[in-house]
Amino acid sequence: MAIGEPASVVAVGALLGEGPVWNPRESALWFVDIKGYRIHRFDPAAGALDSWDAPAQPGWVLPAEDGGFVVGLQGGIHRFDPATGAFTAIAPVEADRPGNRLNDACTDGQGRIWLGSMDDAEEADTGRIYRFENGRLVDPGLPPVCITNGPAISPDGRTLYHVDTLGRRVWACALAQDGRLGAPRLFAEIGDREGYPDGPTVDSEGHVWIGLFAGWAARRYAPDGALVETVHFPVANVTKLAFGGDDLKTVYATTAAKGLSADERERQPLAGNLFSFRVDVPGVPVTPARTEAA
């Protein structure tokens, strides 16, 4: 598979860029800066970046079935209206855990939102994976970890991948049509000196792409867990990838300046920017999120 070299496409300088998602309705990429309390929209045709302030840490943004957007803020799921910049609460998440925040999400082929939480202090195993469907939040019973990332869903909808970032492990679970999950099995493990697995996404061949925080790279794993490609970046913290463009062969990658010393920032002037590169294998179209009861 031919892979292009990653290049910075827009200077964001995000503290913690995350959650890139391609919205085909407007041919634009949406993403967040969690620690910067910002939501961003990048129009590659115009080379333009639009930004909105968030009232709490935004973990992710997803296109919604009704044409709007859904955002995971610390404390709950919200509708977001770019025209006004307004956020409207849909459902609380972990109101009893004020030290947690939301971190990463995706939709499955039915438009259900799969989302994760984490300990904002990055110390306690209080992070969980949830499913939001028919207007309610469901805990599918996965073991808690400190920092969740993902989930991501295989193209056939039968496997869910989720990441234990501090444990440096990527897990896979069988996913039933009704949303039930099978027992987790180890999919991939990252070595101690290779960084931390961050956000996952999948391509149309069922391969899993993982950004590496503090790893200077992103990796592509085959469905059997074998490492098949590594893409190197000029910045250390690669957080998550998303497929975009009309052919879904342009990969966008969010990055982060979080945790870098002043000297490291000087040596990584592109840290926190949005990057892109081209691939031969396209991604999978994102199903808009359903927020209403069926």
Side-chain angles (χ1 to χ4, degrees):
M1 181 180 72
I3 295 178
E5 183 176 347
S8 173
V9 293
V10 63
V12 185
L15 286 174
L16 186 53
E18 256 291 3
V21 61
W22 181 255
N23 184 16
R25 293 192 296 247
E26 52 185 344
S27 297
L29 185 90
W30 288 77
F31 61 105
V32 300
D33 179 357
I34 298 174
K35 293 299 179 181
Y37 288 65
R38 301 280 276 173
I39 294 173
H40 297 294
R41 174 190 180 273
F42 175 61
D43 178 349
L49 182 73
D50 297 311
S51 304
W52 293 262
D53 291 327
Q57 294 183 88
W60 44 267
V61 56
L62 292 169
E65 190 177 51
D66 61 8
F69 292 86
V70 186
V71 174
L73 297 180
Q74 185 171 14
I77 301 170
H78 292 67
R79 291 186 183 278
F80 169 61
D81 182 358
T84 64
F87 294 83
T88 305
I90 298 174
V93 180
E94 297 184 338
D96 59 333
R97 297 176 189 168
N100 273 14
R101 65 168 174 83
L102 300 190
N103 190 56
D104 209 1
C106 73
T107 55
D108 62 20
Q110 299 180 47
R112 298 178 296 201
I113 302 174
W114 292 84
L115 62 146
S117 66
M118 62 170 281
D119 176 20
D120 198 30
E122 302 181 11
E123 296 173 350
D125 289 344
T126 56
R128 290 188 177 275
I129 297 293
Y130 297 98
R131 182 177 75 250
F132 183 72
E133 64 172 320
N134 295 328
R136 67 188 186 97
L137 198 68
V138 179
D139 183 345
L142 293 176
V145 298
C146 184
I147 301 176
T148 66
N149 260 292
I153 311 293
S154 62
D156 63 8
R158 296 179 179 177
T159 304
L160 178 141
Y161 301 96
H162 65 98
V163 176
D164 172 3
T165 293
L166 293 189
R168 289 190 166 97
R169 293 180 175 90
V170 183
W171 298 91
C173 302
L175 174 58
Q177 183 74 10
D178 63 3
R180 287 181 298 173
L181 297 178
R185 60 178 174 82
L186 185 62
F187 175 75
E189 192 165 11
I190 309 299
D192 290 347
R193 299 183 180 181
E194 299 172 343
Y196 295 88
D198 209 306
T201 192
V202 297
D203 63 27
S204 59
E205 289 185 346
H207 287 59
V208 182
W209 286 85
I210 305 284
L212 294 181
F213 197 95
W216 300 83
R219 289 179 172 180
R220 183 179 187 243
Y221 291 87
D224 64 1
L227 175 62
V228 293
E229 297 284 352
T230 300
V231 180
H232 297 281
F233 281 72
V235 296
N237 301 329
V238 182
T239 54
K240 188 170 182 177
L241 281 61
F243 292 85
D246 292 340
D247 58 2
L248 294 180
K249 292 183 179 181
T250 297
V251 178
Y252 291 96
T254 47
T255 65
K258 176 180 179 288
L260 300 180
S261 66
D263 181 60
E264 289 170 328
R265 289 288 295 267
E266 186 174 346
R267 288 186 281 113
Q268 298 179 46
L270 302 180
N273 287 1
L274 181 68
F275 287 76
S276 76
F277 57 93
R278 292 285 290 173
V279 293
D280 289 338
V281 177
V284 179
V286 173
T287 300
R290 294 184 60 188
T291 59
E292 303 292 343

